[in-house]
């Protein structure tokens, strides 16, 4: 039951993008097309889940026993950067068109605050390894849910007649705000 609460709480109530406002850069930058948003969400999902597990093990096995927890952020960034390099090489080799469409945003996963924020929050919440995995999966799905829904909305907006002053980025920001308000409806669910 605790795993279910963690999952639903992170996925809907505390959505990483729409509630915690983490990962806004790729959310706004890569969400013009559903295909691109899906590719980015898959890359971020892999990095979030694997980096959370590795950083947890690094914290428990190295940083805490040696009393060097003050190096946590630096160590976590190094783990995340290594994983992003791996993902970048994999995407470039397996799907060059996706690699081109993601552009600069793929290497920016390294500095995506959602990835680092998740790793640090998992340590702060003192989750067990099982709870950490559930939270990481839910957090990555919450990022994916938000970016893919937003990309769908932006595609629909591009097909509609938008007033000149709101065309482009302004209507995208308004739409993102309305999505965040809609997700407030999940407050109190868990």
């Amino acid at each position: 039951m605790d795993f279910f609460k963690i999952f639903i709480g992170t996925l809907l109530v505390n959505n990483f993008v729409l509630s915690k406002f983490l990962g806004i850069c790729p959310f706004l930058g890569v969400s013009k097309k559903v295909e691109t948003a899906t590719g980015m969400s898959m890359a971020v999902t892999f990095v979030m889940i694997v980096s959370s597990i590795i950083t947890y093990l690094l914290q428990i096995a190295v940083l805490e026993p040696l009393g060097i927890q003050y190096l946590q952020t630096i160590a976590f960034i190094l783990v995340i950067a290594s994983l992003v390099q791996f993902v970048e090489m994999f995407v470039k080799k397996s799907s060059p068109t996706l690699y081109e469409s993601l552009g600069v945003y793929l290497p920016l996963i390294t500095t995506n605050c959602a990835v680092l924020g998740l790793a640090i929050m998992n340590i702060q919440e003192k989750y067990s390894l099982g709870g950490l995995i559930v939270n990481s999966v839910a957090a990555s799905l919450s990022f994916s849910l938000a970016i893919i829904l937003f990309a769908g909305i932006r595609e629909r907006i591009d097909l509609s007649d938008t007033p000149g002053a709101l065309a482009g980025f302004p209507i995208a920001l308004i739409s993102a705000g309305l999505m965040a308000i809609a997700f407030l409806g999940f407050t109190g669910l868990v």
Side-chain angles (χ1 to χ4, degrees):
M1 191 63 168
D2 287 339
F3 288 159
F4 182 74
K5 281 177 147 178
I6 292 170
F7 186 81
I8 294 299
T10 302
L11 179 65
L12 298 174
V13 179
N14 297 314
N15 185 286
F16 259 59
V17 177
L18 301 172
S19 177
K20 294 186 183 290
F21 304 111
L22 295 172
I24 296 293
C25 179
F27 175 73
L28 293 173
V30 187
S31 61
K32 289 187 178 183
K33 295 189 182 288
V34 173
E35 294 170 12
T36 310
T38 303
M40 176 58 94
S41 67
M42 290 184 337
V44 169
T45 296
F46 174 79
V47 172
M48 284 178 97
I49 293 170
V50 175
S51 68
S52 290
I53 294 168
I54 293 173
T55 54
Y56 173 78
L57 297 173
L58 180 68
Q59 178 78 19
I60 300 302
V62 178
L63 298 177
E64 287 179 4
L66 295 177
I68 53 174
Q69 293 94 330
Y70 58 88
L71 294 175
Q72 179 186 59
T73 304
I74 294 170
F76 287 8
I77 289 174
L78 289 173
V79 168
I80 293 166
S82 301
L83 286 170
V84 170
Q85 287 296 82
F86 171 75
V87 168
E88 188 174 4
M89 290 185 304
F90 178 78
V91 170
K92 187 175 185 178
K93 191 75 171 167
S94 65
S95 179
T97 55
L98 178 61
Y99 179 78
E100 290 296 321
S101 65
L102 291 176
V104 71
Y105 292 100
L106 189 57
L108 284 178
I109 296 174
T110 302
T111 58
N112 185 342
C113 56
V115 179
L116 181 60
L118 175 64
I120 292 173
M121 280 186 231
N122 282 334
I123 300 300
Q124 288 175 345
E125 293 292 327
K126 296 182 176 29
Y127 286 127
S128 65
L129 186 58
L132 172 130
I133 292 170
V134 169
N135 190 49
S136 299
V137 168
S140 62
L141 289 176
S142 78
F143 178 84
S144 300
L145 176 69
I147 195 170
I148 293 170
L149 284 175
F150 189 55
I153 291 169
R154 287 183 77 175
E155 282 184 357
R156 295 282 308 259
I157 289 172
D158 286 344
L159 298 175
S160 65
D161 190 26
T162 308
L166 295 176
F169 203 62
I171 195 71
L173 289 176
I174 292 168
S175 300
L178 291 172
M179 277 182 67
I181 291 170
F183 269 73
L184 279 174
F186 295 115
T187 304
L189 186 63
V190 177

